[in-house]
Amino acid sequence: MDFNEFKKAVADAARQMGIPDYELYYASGESTDVEAFGHEISGFTSSVEGGVSLRCALNGRMGYASTQVLSAQEAVSLVRRAAENAAVLESEEPALFVDGSQTYEDHPAPAYPLPDAAALTEKVLELQDKLLGADPLVLPNSQSYASSGTQTVAIFNSRGLDVSVSAGTAEFVVAPIVGDGQEMSNDYNFKAGDPAKIDFDELVSKAVTDAKNKLGGSVPQTGDMPVVFAPEAMRSLLATFSSAFSSEMAQRGLSALRDKEGQMVAGANVTIVDDPFFEGIAMPRPFDAEGSPTHKKNVIEDGKLVTLLYNLQTAAKAGRTTTGNAAKAGYASKVDVRPFVMYLKPGQISEDELLAQAGNGVYINSLGGLHAGANPVSGDFSLQSGGFLIEDGKKTVPVKSFTVAGNFFTMLSHITAIASNLEPPRGGGSTGFTSPSVLVEGLTVAGK
Amino acid sequence: MIPRDVCERVLRAAVATGADYAEIFAENSLNHSIEMVGTKVNTINDNVIAGAAVRVYKGLRSIMATTVDTSEAGLMRCAKNAAAALGTGDPVLDFTLTERLYGDIHPVLLVPSSVSSAKKAAILRESCQAALSYDPSVRQAVGTLLDVDHNILIANTEGIYAQDRQIRTRISVSAVAEKDGQTQTGSCSPGRRMGMEMFDGLIDPAAVGVEAARQAVVMAGAGYCPAGVMPVAIENGFGGVIFHEACGHSLEATSVAYNASQFAGKLGQKIANDKVTAIDDGTIPGAWGSINFDDEGTPSRKRVLIEKGVLKSYMIDKFNGRRMGMESTASSRRQSYAFTPTSRMTNTYIAAGEDDNREIIASIPYGLYARKMGGGSVNPVTGEFNFAVDEGYIVRNGQICEPVRGASLVGKGSEIIQKIDMVGTDMDMGQGMCGSSSGSIPTNVGQPLIRVSSITVGGR
């Protein structure tokens, strides 16, 4: 059965079991992925995925159960399992639902015709030809990928809420491997959006240039020095430490920003924004994972922590209103708290001017091991890095196999300059992180 | 799960346009987890994952279609989509499916779904309580008890029709300690391919909580690790993540078949120090990374990857094996039906050597002792890897001295495995979830205490 029929089956089952308050969260997607190797298609995948999660409130506690099977029998099992699970819960957190009277901002998703399997195949072979012909150093084992698909999120509850949002995205990826006979290096680049508007030559040339730049890189000297984080590196740091903005983490004692709302937590030049309707995002989300309306807000404004991010439950606990940041990692996950598109507000100067201010130091455009070498609770990080030396205010030779170490929350007070080069977050979906380049003083580089 | 005659009809539809191989992978899994914050049950997650994938090959082309509809009609739609995507042609294959009885080397005594959530919560509470009462500086403990009942069916045009039930259980506790305003975490996460009998004598829930708390308390009192190049001794158990990242991933056909690995074309060559013998063994009874057969239906096995420094074997799945002209090594794995399988590790470790542990530490005038490693990652093309040291100590004049935090190790795999110049005798394993293109899968890493003669330590 489809989701509409399943809703009815669950409503019937809940009524029969005497469960008045419940909510169904449904996520589904269809996608086609094509992969090229050599000048041929090496892989093709067509997938249909979806699942539904039920939350029900019993004695003020919220039980969850999820499934990928939409059938009348499973509807009964789902309600029974969620009710059983609710009975075991012990946390003193209120079980809350929104009703059907919400008002949502209207921000339509970018609309364009999605390429079908044949068009994707043609596009990925064209992209692969461009990639293999881009430079004599590009090796024949470089690959290109293309995908297109649609996704839907719907929420239905016993209080009259019945909302859904859908969007389609096409995505193109190139993964060049380059070699000069001595060593190999690689990179990748991707763009999501209307294929008629994507500059595929630029997509390829940036990836190939970045891969070539890593050849022959040396290991920098160990020491404390000015560091410029390129947009891709600063974005990764922001993503890694974004859990500190979650009121849920703060309430659990796992955020360095707990009890700091209204206080200065960064330099006066730092403003961090969360925007569910960031221009160009593949699927703008008018409602969050609990069905609350979403909106754009400053999280840090001129260095001051304006607000953490809240959902219904954490807001009730803190005696305030939700910021519309309820989120789920997947349909089966518990509702938690996350940003939509979080970014550092850009400054006025160009990246070149930023480099000139840095004088001598390193420019970091790749960071590795963020899931392990960074502690989101304390803010400490020590990360594998790659990039360029900055000498006399200019990027010069490539450097690699070194680490950069510091503390993210301390670093927010030591950003000496912010460039203007903010780009939309890459990839499809409703969430992402982005940042302009920043110059930071006083980080430790470990090389040779 | 799906009758043999249905599988035969679906496979015939899949090869109707000339595929030279077709396969059905169907799954019905129950994932259950309880999360405890402090000593209270905070969340129960209970998810049924059910679906199927039909895959066809022709030469070096692979096509896969997935569905959540595992009825014959749903599977037929997938088969026809896959056949159509291949193009036009006539069938070239004939086959008969025969049920394979591979046996189960991981018999489960206590199926997790037969144990009440209240009983599971009590086990978890014992762990969290032990963490919280370990030391006054422990501020918080978060625990998770996860059990997975993963039922798979594989049918392919080589005639295989096989089913397996993979039950895994894991307890994980993370403790937070605070000293002088400094917050640090510690964790302990043992798991097995077992049911709830894992807690009958093998894993002590209280000891798991104590270990997480011990690490958090030590690290909360630690200063920053200094940066530089130095010798490092890496402890056994999860320390084996160094081999997993620095070398293991680069031996997977996923990268070797495309010549995108630092070790491509090096079979039979000396790639590591004489002291290094490395093994991938999917047959260890009850081990977290073990399988009865892989996700293409090839029976699991033990294989030597590196013997005394010489490269002996890659880890290969059927599809990538075609490109390499080599047989599968039973290494094909996928998180679920929704992922295209590829070659992955199972239980991978550096075998025990002959060096004395005390001599390994005593040999270091100034360096780092990494007692507990965190996770890491690698770029298989270049071999550049990184991983975090969750609990480290400075070694001075052959003595383990003060603890240090925030250390990470970076280097190049092909260089580091030459520098593993001392290997102890006490091999042990640790559990992890390994992420790659075919999703997140359970793997064991392992080694005895080893010495790396020099490596870049990131700190400040």
Side-chain angles (χ1 to χ4, degrees), chain B residues 209-229:
Chain B
V210 165
E211 172 55 19
R214 183 199 62 75
Q215 189 195 333
V217 170
V218 168
M219 297 319 286
Y224 285 113
C225 181
V229 177

Side-chain angles (χ1 to χ4, degrees), chain A residues 96-334:
Chain A
L96 300 165
F97 296 105
V98 300
D99 61 29
S101 66
Q102 311 297 318
T103 309
Y104 301 107
E105 289 184 39
D106 182 22
H107 297 266
Y112 51 90
L114 287 178
D116 61 10
L120 273 184
T121 303
E122 194 180 317
K123 205 77 219 174
V124 78
L125 288 174
E126 180 191 323
L127 193 55
Q128 180 74 351
D129 285 347
K130 281 186 199 295
L131 178 62
L132 294 179
D135 190 284
L137 295 186
V138 172
L139 297 175
N141 51 2
S142 301
Q143 289 194 266
S144 301
Y145 308 83
S147 66
S148 82
T150 57
Q151 49 182 325
T152 298
V153 172
I155 308 178
F156 166 80
N157 76 17
S158 52
R159 304 271 180 94
L161 182 77
D162 194 356
V163 290
S164 74
V165 61
S166 294
T169 328
E171 204 168 304
F172 302 88
V173 183
V174 287
I177 300 179
V178 299
D180 55 7
Q182 305 277 314
E183 61 172 330
M184 291 197 291
S185 73
N186 61 332
D187 209 293
Y188 75 101
N189 192 11
F190 67 102
K191 275 253 151 62
D194 184 353
K197 292 183 183 156
I198 291 175
D199 183 341
F200 289 96
D201 291 312
E202 196 225 323
L203 179 73
V204 168
S205 70
K206 179 173 187 322
V208 171
T209 306
D210 286 349
K212 279 171 64 183
N213 279 336
K214 292 181 194 168
L215 288 173
S218 59
V219 180
Q221 292 293 335
T222 298
D224 289 359
M225 60 191 74
V227 171
V228 171
F229 288 109
E232 46 270 50
M234 187 60 191
R235 176 187 67 211
S236 308
L237 287 176
L238 189 57
T240 302
F241 293 102
S242 65
S243 65
F245 295 103
S246 156
S247 54
E248 185 179 35
M249 288 298 163
Q251 289 172 2
R252 286 184 180 187
L254 300 176
S255 162
L257 298 176
R258 70 183 185 278
D259 305 328
K260 294 205 171 151
E261 282 163 301
Q263 297 177 27
M264 291 299 283
V265 296
N269 57 347
V270 172
T271 292
I272 293 179
V273 187
D274 177 44
D275 184 2
F277 308 115
F278 195 99
E279 182 75 33
I281 185 88
M283 186 159 112
R285 281 287 295 272
F287 55 89
D288 72 2
E290 293 172 325
S292 298
T294 59
H295 61 274
K296 177 179 175 178
K297 66 222 147 259
N298 289 341
V299 178
I300 293 178
E301 188 170 302
D302 303 329
K304 189 165 88 179
L305 181 64
V306 182
T307 183
L308 294 175
L309 304 174
Y310 291 88
N311 63 19
L312 287 173
Q313 197 176 65
T314 60
K317 221 170 163 179
R320 45 188 305 159
T321 54
T322 176
T323 57
N325 285 94
K328 275 174 174 255
Y331 73 89
S333 310
K334 193 196 175 203

Side-chain angles (χ1 to χ4, degrees), chain A residues 50-121:
Chain A
V52 60
S53 178
L54 174 73
R55 301 197 291 161
C56 72
L58 269 182
N59 304 323
R61 293 192 169 122
M62 193 82 95
Y64 282 70
S66 311
T67 187
Q68 292 191 314
V69 181
L70 303 191
S71 70
Q73 195 189 345
E74 186 70 5
V76 175
S77 159
L78 192 67
V79 177
R80 184 182 47 73
R81 282 161 46 214
E84 279 172 11
N85 291 337
V88 182
L89 298 183
E90 300 164 323
S91 59
E92 287 144 7
E93 289 171 356
L96 300 165
F97 296 105
V98 300
D99 61 29
S101 66
Q102 311 297 318
T103 309
Y104 301 107
E105 289 184 39
D106 182 22
H107 297 266
Y112 51 90
L114 287 178
D116 61 10
L120 273 184
T121 303

Side-chain angles (χ1 to χ4, degrees), chain B residues 196-378:
Chain B
M196 297 296 290
E197 73 271 18
M198 181 176 105
F199 296 106
D200 296 335
L202 185 65
I203 304 287
D204 172 10
V208 173
V210 165
E211 172 55 19
R214 183 199 62 75
Q215 189 195 333
V217 170
V218 168
M219 297 319 286
Y224 285 113
C225 181
V229 177
M230 58 187 86
V232 177
I234 302 173
E235 196 47 274
N236 69 4
F238 198 73
V241 70
I242 187 171
F243 183 82
H244 177 102
E245 299 298 351
C247 193
H249 278 296
S250 303
L251 297 177
E252 294 169 339
T254 317
S255 49
V256 177
Y258 299 88
N259 200 20
S261 160
Q262 53 179 338
F263 299 123
K266 299 217 165 143
L267 272 184
Q269 292 183 30
K270 184 98 189 315
I271 62 165
N273 195 290
D274 288 344
K275 298 245 178 175
V276 176
T277 290
I279 291 165
D280 182 69
D281 184 359
T283 69
I284 303 170
W288 179 242
S290 288
I291 46 179
N292 285 314
F293 53 84
D294 77 353
D295 290 333
E296 287 171 330
T298 308
S300 184
R301 64 193 66 169
K302 173 179 180 175
R303 68 209 143 252
V304 174
L305 302 172
I306 295 171
E307 187 172 18
K308 294 183 176 155
V310 176
L311 179 58
K312 293 288 184 185
S313 174
Y314 297 117
M315 289 168 278
I316 307 169
D317 59 295
K318 281 186 179 157
F319 179 64
N320 288 311
R322 287 184 167 206
R323 206 174 278 282
M324 299 164 73
M326 296 173 91
E327 293 287 308
S328 164
T329 56
S331 302
S332 180
R333 301 186 71 187
R334 68 204 305 176
Q335 178 183 327
S336 77
Y337 71 92
F339 292 82
T340 303
T342 189
S343 53
R344 306 286 295 269
M345 288 173 258
T346 58
N347 306 299
T348 313
Y349 58 92
I350 295 177
E354 292 173 351
D355 291 306
D356 182 84
N357 281 5
R358 279 161 305 181
E359 283 172 20
I360 293 175
I361 301 295
S363 73
I364 299 175
Y366 178 79
L368 185 71
Y369 164 61
R371 174 160 171 181
K372 276 187 93 173
M373 301 299 299
S377 62
V378 67

Side-chain angles (χ1 to χ4, degrees), chain A residues 360-398:
Chain A
N360 293 293
V362 290
Y363 177 90
I364 293 174
N365 59 13
S366 86
L367 288 174
L370 288 139
H371 64 295
N375 182 335
V377 178
S378 67
D380 287 340
F381 63 84
S382 173
L383 297 164
Q384 180 189 13
S385 308
F388 295 88
L389 277 187
I390 305 170
E391 294 171 298
D392 296 331
K394 289 198 166 48
K395 273 195 279 182
T396 58
V397 295

Side-chain angles (χ1 to χ4, degrees), chain B residues 417-433:
Chain B
I417 56 169
Q418 317 245 17
K419 291 182 180 167
I420 298 176
D421 62 351
M422 292 181 90
V423 176
T425 53
D426 54 341
M427 206 288 286
D428 192 18
M429 300 207 207
Q431 289 75 53
M433 292 302 293

